[in-house]
Amino acid sequence: MIIPTGMSAKEIVNDLKENYAKVRRLLDEDSKNDPEEEPYFSKYKAKEILKNMYGVLCNMQEAGSGLTKVQIDALKGIVLLSIGTIDMETDEYTSCEKALKEAEEVLLPSALAPEVIILLLNVLNNLGLLWSFRGQPEKAKGYLLSSKKICEDFKATLLMPVPIETILNIVTPKEETSLMDFMSLEKAHTLTLYYLAQVYGALNECVKAAIYCHVTLRRQLMYNDYDPIEWALNSATLSQFFVEQNGFYQSRYHLSAASTILDQYETELLESEIHDEEYLARKETFKHRSADVARCWVKYCLLLMSASKDRLMSDAESVTDAITDLSNLTLEDDENICGGDMKRLKFLDLNVSKYEEKITDKYLLTYEDAREVFICCQRWLNIAKDYYKPDTLASDHIELVQDWSQSYAYLAFFEEDDERRAKMYKRRVDMLEDLLKELNPTYYLLYCRQLWYELGQVYSEILNIKLEKLNKLKEKPTPHLLKKINMLCEKSIESYDNFIASVKDKNGVMPIRLDSDVVKPAINAYVHIGRNSMKRIAVDKNTHLSYVKKSYESYQGVVDICKNDPEAAKMMKEEYALCQEMVNILPLKIKKLEKDLQA
């Protein structure tokens, strides 16, 4: 901006006002229509105007301008902040840092001035964001904590912030504009807390990150500054962190909040009288995200059942004292975010009892406890499956069926009646085999591999129940039971064989070294084939010999894997030792059977 000689201070201020309006128009409107070959055309144009404005401001005197030094510094701050923001958006991080650091130096001496506060918070937030981009979260944290403290100090003064538009006389201060200015301050502060959540996540201070996420969500609700779908999804996502820490109290609460906000949004949708394309798009987004929140509820149910099972198996004497609300967690709350009390993570004026009352947040002790959670899980699964259908969203549908199968597995653990347990496992078999029929291994090999392995496990579980029944019989077993046992052995072996075949190369040869995520299941598959081969009931010696040979080959498969991979041998030490023993023993049995056949 070139100033003609003899311009009065008042004219200079008017020129600044006009140029600032041009900058805003370029950044807020024109930049959206920039050509693909020059995507930053409007931004660069705005940057040139801003540079000229900054030159004028550096030479401006208080006398005659009608502006105080603080106001002139505030104008310098908004210009430098705007330049820094443009540099960040155009990936020019070095010049971005230079502009933002200069803005910080200009504004910091008047940090608590109403004209400066919002600008300074945005400058510090952007410096935090910049250092996050550069992979230095510790440095980013320093700027963000500084922004947090300055905002809290300003609010203690009970003053109202003054925006740049007021300084330039673009708007006249009124009651409603003052409220908007206050909201701008709160919005900048919310952004600080949101960035702190990300930074603490990067620093692996996950609990603090989660708490800052909660505070961000709470403030968005408090100031009615949120998109309902996005808010619900973020709250449900946060619940997943808590549930993984066995914080079922906090997880259930955040899921309930997500579902409550979705209910409110659905009511708003149903009341809409205009059913145009935008409405249909909103409806589709609602259905999609409702399915996602339902999936988070499914994970909650599965993890509650899983954690309850683990506790019952590990320490049956202390299960009644189990803590599920993270109240045993020590939190150094030197930033005063929740008073160190994890139970205080609540959203004011949001009644979530409708959903909290549907499911417990305590560990399960009995079949009746587990059944209630199981039924709740089925409801959420049905909502999710209604959206994630096999013909449109196959991968998601497969994962939902796997979750469905897992829910039966956990319920079966709590069931004491063998026949009913066997029926639950049979239900799993049906759903997994039906799913496999729909899948082409060429395109869904990893999923097929998981399903084959799971089927091998389920058939083995049913087999063990039937063998236990056989061992308890006092009279001679029926041919039907013997046939059933053989069928279960064969089905389990077939499923594990399919899994192992999927790990081998195109020539059917096992790789010298397996990928680390395949080692454990591959060895377990071989071990189960070896065991189940020996559990088959043979009607003649030839058949018996073939079963023993199959068992030997499977145990040898484990020995080969572990000999070629010392890490695998170390990881599966017990299984390796067992298989080495069986590889030494079974040849003697094979020779004896062959000798008997020749006799």
Side-chain angles (χ1 to χ4, degrees), residues 479-506:
H480 174 75
L481 178 58
L482 297 178
K483 187 178 178 182
K484 183 77 173 177
I485 287 169
N486 273 355
M487 183 275 288
L488 290 167
C489 286
E490 286 156 14
K491 283 288 187 182
S492 176
I493 291 167
E494 179 188 346
S495 299
Y496 281 128
D497 270 338
N498 285 334
F499 171 83
I500 288 169
S502 74
V503 176
K504 293 178 178 178
D505 63 22
K506 292 178 181 178

Side-chain angles (χ1 to χ4, degrees), residues 272-394:
S272 176
E273 295 179 359
I274 303 171
H275 291 190
D276 55 7
E277 284 187 13
E278 183 185 347
Y279 168 82
L280 294 173
R282 288 172 65 201
K283 195 173 178 182
E284 176 62 19
T285 301
F286 168 76
K287 191 175 180 184
H288 181 186
R289 295 315 179 187
S290 294
D292 287 340
V293 172
R295 292 181 77 174
C296 290
W297 273 112
V298 169
K299 292 297 181 189
Y300 173 89
C301 296
L302 293 177
L303 284 169
L304 181 56
M305 295 172 88
S306 172
S308 300
K309 172 187 172 182
D310 291 344
R311 286 197 67 81
L312 287 167
M313 291 181 71
S314 64
D315 190 2
E317 292 180 4
S318 64
V319 289
T320 52
D321 302 322
I323 294 169
T324 58
D325 60 14
L326 298 183
S327 60
N328 60 332
L329 196 68
T330 303
L331 175 69
E332 292 182 14
D333 190 10
D334 51 354
E335 292 153 35
N336 192 28
I337 41 181
C338 71
D341 182 2
M342 297 294 284
K343 276 196 164 187
R344 287 175 58 186
L345 300 180
K346 299 278 186 176
F347 302 120
L348 305 177
D349 302 323
L350 187 67
N351 184 356
V352 303
S353 58
K354 172 185 170 183
Y355 287 96
E356 283 192 311
E357 289 167 1
K358 290 181 179 181
I359 187 167
T360 185
D361 64 335
K362 300 292 187 290
Y363 286 121
L364 315 174
L365 299 174
T366 66
Y367 174 78
E368 286 70 28
D369 293 341
R371 187 174 180 276
E372 286 185 16
V373 174
F374 172 82
I375 290 169
C376 195
C377 187
Q378 302 314 297
R379 285 199 296 265
W380 291 114
L381 274 165
N382 288 334
I383 291 170
K385 285 192 292 181
D386 187 50
Y387 181 80
Y388 288 108
K389 297 186 182 296
D391 53 341
T392 53
L393 297 158

